Amino acid sequence: MARVSCALPAFEVAPSALRACRPHDVASEFMSRLDPSLASSGCNIEVYRLQKLREEDQLYEGDELLCRFPTWHFDLTSLEELFQEVEDLKSIQAEFQQNYENALSCIALCGEFVGSISETDDAVDTMRNCLLERDKQLAAEKRKHKKLRGDLLAIREQTLHLQQLVLDDAAGLDRLSSASNSHRGALPLNSPGPGHLGSQGAHRPIGGPRSEPRWEEANLAINA
């Protein structure tokens, strides 16, 4: 059977170097361009002299055949760039995977945060209701204190009025006492007092008129 391989352009040997170039030199240059580590690994490379076949040429068992696209400008350099692009894409894909996992973690944290925000909103509403109730209580306390203050002022006014009445009564009693004392001091020492009869009273005829001009004057002075 015949084996068919795919050929990619690797490099070209200058016409001036063809005389000194040997198959070993071509194999070494090929390995350095394909992968420099192949030279140290002892990889064996076969070098063939190719001849383009014609349409009528006969194929035989054991032939090594090589196919290539003459108009396809794809060489080992392009292959290397393609491999490098694949490696870069793998790195980008790994980065995207890490970002995706981080995004999932962030979404989970956001869910917990949203839940905590809901709980916080409930707590804020509860606190707001408590503050409203406290404001109502303070307003009621202020009204109560205002009413109590008004009551205390009214009691104070009533107390001052009562004190004034007591002082006025006391002043009236003092005036009466002073008038009584002054009247008693104006009476003669030998005049008969209340309940006592004088000399004229002792000789007053029975059934006769009772004349007490001095007591009438005293009563008028007291009443004044």
Side-chain angles (χ1 to χ4, degrees):
M1 76 181 163
R3 291 187 301 178
V4 180
S5 301
C6 177
L8 291 177
F11 60 93
E12 294 181 355
V13 180
S16 59
L18 288 176
R19 292 181 177 273
C21 186
R22 297 291 182 266
H24 175 72
D25 298 331
V26 175
S28 298
E29 183 66 20
F30 178 76
M31 284 190 298
S32 64
R33 291 176 178 267
L34 182 62
D35 189 355
S37 63
L38 295 177
S40 60
S41 63
C43 183
N44 186 22
I45 296 179
E46 296 177 347
V47 180
Y48 295 86
R49 179 180 284 119
L50 300 178
Q51 183 180 0
K52 183 179 178 180
L53 299 177
R54 294 172 297 183
E55 293 294 335
E56 64 273 9
D57 289 340
Q58 182 67 36
L59 299 178
Y60 300 97
E61 185 177 357
D63 286 345
E64 292 285 343
L65 303 177
L66 184 66
C67 295
R68 75 180 185 91
F69 294 96
T71 59
W72 192 12
H73 302 287
F74 186 77
D75 53 9
L76 290 180
T77 303
S78 302
L79 183 62
E80 184 67 24
E81 293 176 356
L82 182 60
F83 283 150
Q84 185 63 42
E85 184 178 355
V86 170
E87 294 297 327
D88 294 340
L89 291 175
K90 287 182 179 180
S91 300
I92 294 174
Q93 191 270 341
E95 184 178 357
F96 284 166
Q97 182 67 27
Q98 184 64 37
N99 292 336
Y100 174 73
E101 294 177 357
N102 294 337
L104 290 179
S105 301
C106 291
I107 290 173
L109 291 176
C110 289
E112 296 177 359
F113 180 71
V114 170
S116 62
I117 288 178
S118 300
E119 295 177 357
T120 304
D121 292 339
D122 295 338
V124 170
D125 293 337
T126 303
M127 182 63 69
R128 185 181 292 110
N129 294 331
C130 292
L131 291 176
L132 291 176
E133 291 294 331
R134 182 58 181 171
D135 292 340
K136 292 180 181 179
Q137 293 178 0
L138 290 176
E141 291 292 334
K142 287 182 180 180
R143 290 193 297 269
K144 186 184 296 184
H145 290 168
K146 185 177 181 180
K147 183 177 181 302
L148 180 60
R149 183 179 180 181
D151 295 340
L152 290 175
L153 292 176
I155 292 173
R156 181 181 179 183
E157 292 177 358
Q158 293 179 0
T159 303
L160 293 175
H161 181 67
L162 292 175
Q163 289 178 354
Q164 187 64 36
L165 292 177
V166 171
L167 291 176
D168 293 342
D169 292 341
L173 293 175
D174 290 340
R175 287 195 299 270
L176 290 176
S177 177
S178 299
S180 177
N181 291 333
S182 62
H183 176 73
R184 289 179 181 178
L187 292 176
L189 294 176
N190 55 357
S191 62
H196 293 82
L197 294 176
S199 58
Q200 295 179 357
H203 296 88
R204 181 176 56 86
I206 298 173
R210 185 177 180 178
S211 147
E212 296 180 354
R214 295 181 179 274
W215 286 107
E216 291 179 357
E217 294 178 358
N219 289 332
L220 290 174
I222 291 174
N223 291 328

